[in-house]
């Protein structure tokens, strides 16, 4: 139990030694080392078992342990964590803009690029953002032509420069924030594993933003797809459990407009109750 440098204080051997001092007898071996031998252990209601020990035929007293001690522990049933972006498979997301309008696959590429710019540019000083966006979009592997670069830069900067967005993309805000935890649902706790596009935590308020770049934006919160509302409702429920002392506000960011659309809490409350798991 010891190496060349001896044993460290509080190691397993020392812990065992402390535990047996009141139960056994200290013996000195021929080499001068000391060991502890437990001859018997007695309990209030012992069961007797006579065996031959390594040393002699000293009767050994064995404690009567409860039956569950010898059985494997039951593995609790745990459902896979809930992904807010994959709620209610029977509730489809809104259709993409028509390919006849010149969208096609380019619409999704455009959405991904805007999403990436909105993630990266807030970390750059405001005066340098436009130039940084142009450098990013003109990288050869992206295959974005000059007209597309200007359009993407203009739309992204319009989002960042709109006054009502300043707080969302300002100091202290975070992009692509993973959220993991449990929320109460239907009388039980369910696990949630998701990621929000942008999060701002203030002293008394939490703001969570979800980007929508490849969908035609509605004009009113009541017209938002139930799929989007339920996703936000789960994020809100989880953030309320993480920050119980703060208010939690949710919004959708439609980059086509660009427009930040706050979603009323009562609308999210209703959406949460309509989730089917």
């Amino acid at each position: 139990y010891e190496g060349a440098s001896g044993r460290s204080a509080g190691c397993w051997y020392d812990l065992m030694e402390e535990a047996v001092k009141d139960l056994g007898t200290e013996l000195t071996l021929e080499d001068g080392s000391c060991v502890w031998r437990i001859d018997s252990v007695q309990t209030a209601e012992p069961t007797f078992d006579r065996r031959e020990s390594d040393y002699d035929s000293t009767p050994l007293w064995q404690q009567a342990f409860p039956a569950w001690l010898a059985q494997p522990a039951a593995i609790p049933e745990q459902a896979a964590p809930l992904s807010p972006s994959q709620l209610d498979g029977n509730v489809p997301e809104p259709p993409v803009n028509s390919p006849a309008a010149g969208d096609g696959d380019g619409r999704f590429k455009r959405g991904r690029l805007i999403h990436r710019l909105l993630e990266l540019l807030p970390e750059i000083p405001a005066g340098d953002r436009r130039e940084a966006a142009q450098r990013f979009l003109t990288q050869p592997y992206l295959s974005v032509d000059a007209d597309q670069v200007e359009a993407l830069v203009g739309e992204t900067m319009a989002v960042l420069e709109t006054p009502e967005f300043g707080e969302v993309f300002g100091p202290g805000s975070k992009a692509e924030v993973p959220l993991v935890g449990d929320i109460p649902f239907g009388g039980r706790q369910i696990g949630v594993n998701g990621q929000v596009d942008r999060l701002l935590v203030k002293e008394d308020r939490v703001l969570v933003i979800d980007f929508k770049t490849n969908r035609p934006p509605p004009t009113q919160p009541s017209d938002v797809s139930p799929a989007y509302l339920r996703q936000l409702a789960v994020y809100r429920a989880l953030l309320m459990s993480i920050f119980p002392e703060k208010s939690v506000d949710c919004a959708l960011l439609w980059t086509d407009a660009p427009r930040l659309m706050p979603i009323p809490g009562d609308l999210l409350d209703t959406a949460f109750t309509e989730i089917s798991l």
Side-chain angles (χ1 to χ4, degrees), residues 6-255:
R7 66 178 188 265
S8 59
C11 69
W12 70 268
Y13 184 87
D14 292 337
L15 298 177
M16 293 291 292
E17 184 179 36
E18 288 297 320
V20 302
K21 280 183 178 179
D22 296 333
L23 303 175
T25 304
E26 185 176 13
L27 302 177
T28 301
L29 304 182
E30 293 181 357
D31 62 1
S33 61
C34 294
V35 298
W36 290 88
R37 189 180 80 178
I38 301 177
D39 295 323
S40 64
V41 178
Q42 298 190 30
T43 64
E45 298 180 359
T47 59
F48 183 70
D49 182 14
R50 194 173 186 83
R51 299 177 181 175
E52 292 293 325
S53 70
D54 294 337
Y55 300 97
D56 52 36
S57 59
T58 303
L60 300 179
W61 294 87
Q62 293 184 321
Q63 181 178 355
F65 293 108
W68 58 259
L69 192 62
Q71 299 174 357
I75 300 176
E77 294 184 5
Q78 179 65 48
L82 177 67
S83 174
S85 62
Q86 298 177 349
L87 290 172
D88 290 353
N90 59 333
V91 179
E93 292 190 356
V96 297
N97 287 340
S98 169
D103 298 323
D105 293 338
R107 189 73 179 177
F108 291 96
K109 177 180 179 180
R110 171 186 170 281
R112 291 193 299 268
L113 290 174
I114 292 177
H115 193 124
R116 184 62 173 159
L117 288 172
L118 290 173
E119 177 185 346
L120 297 175
L121 293 180
E123 306 302 322
I124 298 174
D128 300 329
R129 290 176 179 175
R130 183 174 293 273
E131 181 181 351
Q134 292 172 336
R135 287 200 307 270
F136 172 79
L137 293 171
T138 53
Q139 296 177 93
Y141 79 93
L142 293 179
S143 301
V144 182
D145 63 37
D147 290 340
Q148 291 176 322
V149 168
E150 289 307 311
L152 290 170
V153 171
E155 182 170 342
T156 304
M157 293 304 300
V159 171
L160 296 176
E161 293 173 354
T162 301
E164 63 180 324
F165 294 165
E167 193 175 42
V168 183
F169 297 101
S173 61
K174 302 293 183 181
E176 301 294 336
V177 181
L179 291 179
V180 180
D182 294 332
I183 60 173
F185 184 88
R188 70 186 193 278
Q189 294 287 321
I190 60 172
V192 175
N193 185 358
Q195 181 168 294
V196 296
D197 291 321
R198 199 146 196 103
L199 183 71
L200 174 65
V201 179
K202 303 184 68 177
E203 290 185 2
D204 59 348
R205 179 176 179 238
V206 178
L207 181 62
V208 57
I209 305 297
D210 191 26
F211 296 164
K212 300 301 178 189
T213 55
N214 60 335
R215 310 289 180 185
T219 58
Q220 300 294 331
S222 57
D223 296 328
V224 174
S225 164
Y228 294 162
L229 294 178
R230 295 174 190 182
Q231 179 181 355
L232 278 180
V234 171
Y235 286 141
R236 178 170 173 259
L238 181 54
L239 287 166
M240 289 172 67
S241 69
I242 297 173
F243 302 103
E245 75 286 0
K246 304 177 188 291
S247 63
V248 179
D249 299 319
C250 300
L252 293 173
L253 175 56
W254 307 102
T255 57

